[in-house]
Amino acid sequence: MTVSNALLTEQEVIKETNNALEDIQETLALSLVDSLKAGDHITTPTVINMLKDLEDMQLKYYDRLEDNENVQGGLENQAQAEQED
């Protein structure tokens, strides 16, 4: 079950990456709010685009996680079918 172990490892990496992306989004959003409160002239569209890019990255990682789980489930079903034979 080397493939299964690799999938589990990848699943953990994907989850950790998603958590890091969420932290980055939160930090950017808070920085934007602080800058606006301080009266700084920050280009809001630039920050919004950065947040959208991060969200797109997260969605790709969620898709990858779902694919990972589907492959893992398929491998488990295959192994179970082989044991029953």
Side-chain angles (χ1 to χ4, degrees):
M1 283 293 169
T2 307
V3 173
S4 183
N5 290 341
L7 288 171
L8 287 173
T9 301
E10 182 183 10
Q11 184 177 18
E12 288 305 311
V13 169
I14 292 168
K15 287 179 181 179
E16 289 172 11
T17 302
N18 275 337
N19 289 338
L21 289 172
E22 287 175 5
D23 291 344
I24 292 169
Q25 279 181 309
E26 183 178 349
T27 301
L28 279 174
L30 292 174
S31 294
L32 175 60
V33 169
D34 289 344
S35 295
L36 293 174
K37 283 183 181 177
D40 292 344
H41 296 287
I42 187 168
T43 58
T44 305
T46 301
V47 176
I48 290 172
N49 286 337
M50 290 170 65
L51 290 170
K52 284 182 182 178
D53 289 344
L54 286 168
E55 183 178 30
D56 289 344
M57 288 173 62
Q58 274 185 287
L59 291 174
K60 287 178 187 174
Y61 275 99
Y62 283 124
D63 288 345
R64 189 170 153 198
L65 181 61
E66 185 177 343
D67 290 345
N68 177 297
E69 290 171 348
N70 289 339
V71 169
Q72 194 172 2
L75 288 173
E76 289 171 1
N77 289 341
Q78 182 180 359
Q80 189 175 23
E82 288 174 1
Q83 287 178 355
E84 291 174 1
D85 288 343

